[in-house]
Amino acid sequence: MRARPASALTIAVLTVAALTGCATTDAPASGSFSVPPAGAAPDYQLGGAYAPASGVGIVGRDRAAEPADGVYSICYVNGFQTQPGELDLWDDDLLLQRDGAPVFDPDWPDEALVDTSTPAQRERIATLVTPWIEGCADAGFDAVEFDNLDSYTRSDGALTLEGNLALATLLVDAAHGAGLAAGQKNAAEDAAVLRDEAGFDFAVTEECAAYEECSAYTDVYGEAVIDIEYSDELPRTFAEMCADDESPASMVLRDRNLVTADDEAYVFETCAG
């Protein structure tokens, strides 16, 4: 989960314009995979799997979970930082180092940044991550989303958009090769270049309505945008967000920790009610 501050919106608009000029909303040609159904009600279950509510048509779950039955299922893969509890899966030289120690995300101190700075590093990272992608396909997921595409913004200049874009291209190719659609996770400022150069098919966003940056995604992906809003930081009511023409049709309100439905902290609401 990687929600960004509202101040990033201005950077997003300027960066997208500088990198790509005009964005297109035509979807990439599909091969053996399908993109998420336009306008379907989503649920986001990274904190634990449970039976989706009636009317839900899209469910996101961690790669360690099984896909939800009877709905379009998206598999979460932390492709640009280490997943909590999985640091030992990575060789030390695949992790960005500073003063002889891995560099960790300041907001997620149990996630180390992977080093995308050279072609050799990126190939080795892709070799590690590709079996996870293939595992998502073997489990029956329809798509995969790659988190922390913007890790370079937390690297103090050690990583670049170009390096992350090159790795993203390898991971998207692996997803397509496994028969999965590939989803961009957050990184509004890079949406157009990620779609046009890496080949992403759709976007999964967090709090784009709260930060009024949904158009950074919908201008690029059209209806193929899935947004998760969180109940603890709503600048207006969720009903107002649903009624906003700038908001994507596929939008869900969840609790910040994405707990399961039997937890008293559980929050779930879609624009369909």
Side-chain angles (χ1 to χ4, degrees):
M1 293 171 282
R2 194 71 63 236
R4 296 181 294 103
S7 61
L9 178 58
T10 301
I11 299 172
V13 174
L14 293 175
T15 307
V16 168
L19 287 171
T20 65
C22 296
T24 176
T25 58
D26 293 336
S30 298
S32 58
F33 59 87
S34 61
V35 298
D43 193 3
Y44 209 46
Q45 300 185 1
L46 299 191
Y50 52 88
S54 176
V56 166
I58 300 170
V59 172
R61 288 180 176 173
D62 187 79
R63 65 180 174 84
E66 293 295 315
D69 293 331
V71 301
Y72 188 96
S73 290
I74 301 173
C75 186
Y76 172 93
V77 171
N78 200 350
F80 292 76
Q81 297 183 180
T82 64
Q83 188 77 337
E86 294 186 352
L87 189 65
D88 59 350
L89 298 181
W90 296 82
D91 292 338
D92 288 343
D93 65 340
L94 289 182
L95 304 177
L96 185 65
Q97 303 285 323
R98 183 180 299 132
D99 298 326
V103 176
F104 288 87
D105 185 324
D107 293 324
W108 296 84
D110 51 0
E111 296 188 16
L113 278 62
V114 303
D115 187 354
T116 63
S117 60
T118 70
Q121 295 287 91
R122 297 189 290 266
E123 289 286 350
R124 290 176 60 204
I125 294 166
T127 297
L128 176 63
V129 175
T130 293
W132 304 345
I133 298 168
E134 293 171 343
C136 293
D138 292 342
F141 284 94
D142 300 290
V144 59
E145 59 161 310
F146 296 109
D147 201 4
N148 294 306
L149 292 158
D150 61 351
S151 64
Y152 71 94
T153 66
R154 298 182 286 279
S155 71
D156 292 329
L159 305 177
T160 65
L161 168 59
E162 290 73 21
N164 279 20
L165 180 61
L167 175 58
T169 302
L170 296 175
L171 299 183
V172 170
D173 286 347
H176 289 169
L180 300 174
Q184 168 188 338
K185 176 67 172 292
N186 291 330
E189 61 270 28
D190 301 325
V193 71
L194 285 166
R195 180 196 180 279
D196 292 344
E197 297 191 22
F200 282 101
D201 308 296
F202 66 98
V204 177
T205 80
E206 290 174 299
E207 299 182 287
C208 77
Y211 293 129
E212 298 183 348
E213 62 179 14
C214 295
S215 61
Y217 301 100
T218 56
D219 286 352
V220 173
Y221 292 101
E223 294 183 321
V225 177
I226 300 157
D227 178 50
I228 302 96
E229 299 292 324
Y230 293 112
S231 57
D232 59 337
E233 291 188 8
L234 289 180
R236 49 188 169 149
T237 68
F238 186 61
E240 289 173 319
M241 291 179 174
C242 289
D244 190 337
D245 290 339
E246 295 292 319
S247 297
S250 293
M251 189 162 65
V252 63
L253 180 67
R254 286 299 327 265
D255 54 278
R256 177 70 60 176
N257 292 323
L258 300 171
V259 299
T260 55
D262 57 355
D263 192 299
E264 64 180 11
Y266 172 75
V267 175
F268 170 81
E269 186 177 347
T270 66
C271 293

